[in-house]
Amino acid sequence: VAAQEWHRQDSGTTEPLFGVHFVNEQTGWAVGGPGIGFPTFPSAVILKTDDGGVTWAEQDSPVDAQLLDVCFADTIHGWAVGSGVIISTDDGGETWVEQNTPFETTFWDVSCLDDSNTAYVVGYPGNIRTLEGSILKTTNGCDTWVEMHSGVQTNLVGGYFVDENTG
């Protein structure tokens, strides 16, 4: 159902927000935070709503890094990415855990499948051998991230996967 009109919502934060994801009409998350060049040090902002955006509650982040995107497979399993980090939750955001990745780079976008185990992240070149835009994939809920061959020597700032083979 398409929205008939848009209404401004108060997030409760003055920090910039960059990514938002809703799993249904009521439950969603927004991420952001000040980055390098802001008057404050980089820090993560994670907000959750259970009432369609009328109110937002801040969730604790395990990282002090600007977050740029968020994706949830369901109301429990989610990922957020940003400046050198991937974080995940398996309890609706009550706790977030920083993930180990093959390299550190800025990850701009995360796309997750509905199976709660599979997610893809894209970002700046992280492999200095190839200088290709980064694509990482997990199929086990973040236990491991595997580098995929992007084939392009440029920054990847967005990506969307409809299934494990199409993106």
Side-chain angles (χ1 to χ4, degrees):
V1 175
Q4 297 298 317
E5 55 186 274
W6 291 91
H7 300 279
R8 181 177 296 273
Q9 301 290 328
D10 182 7
S11 68
T13 184
T14 59
E15 301 297 349
L17 298 172
F18 299 102
V20 64
H21 184 89
F22 276 76
V23 293
N24 56 45
E25 289 183 16
Q26 298 298 311
T27 307
W29 289 261
V31 297
I36 296 171
F38 283 80
T40 59
F41 289 103
S43 61
V45 173
I46 305 171
L47 303 175
K48 180 182 180 184
T49 182
D50 286 314
D51 58 15
V54 176
T55 60
W56 294 86
E58 190 162 353
Q59 295 185 322
D60 291 330
S61 171
V63 297
D64 287 326
Q66 185 180 56
L67 297 175
L68 301 170
D69 196 28
V70 62
C71 187
F72 271 74
D74 51 40
T75 59
I76 304 298
H77 303 93
W79 297 265
V81 298
S83 299
V85 298
I86 302 172
I87 60 176
S88 69
T89 182
D90 61 6
D91 60 9
E94 292 298 317
T95 56
W96 290 85
V97 178
E98 186 172 6
Q99 300 301 299
N100 293 319
T101 61
F103 48 77
E104 186 176 309
T105 189
T106 295
F107 298 106
W108 284 92
D109 194 55
V110 56
S111 178
C112 55
L113 302 185
D114 292 338
D115 67 7
S116 76
N117 287 314
T118 307
Y120 300 82
V121 299
V122 300
Y124 286 165
N127 185 332
I128 60 171
R129 294 184 314 275
T130 65
L131 296 180
E132 290 183 358
S134 297
I135 303 175
L136 299 180
K137 175 183 180 180
T138 185
T139 56
N140 54 20
C142 297
D143 288 339
T144 57
W145 288 91
V146 177
E147 182 179 5
M148 300 179 69
H149 177 66
S150 73
V152 295
Q153 291 187 331
T154 189
N155 300 331
L156 298 177
V157 296
Y160 179 74
F161 287 79
V162 294
D163 60 41
E164 279 199 51
N165 301 311
T166 309

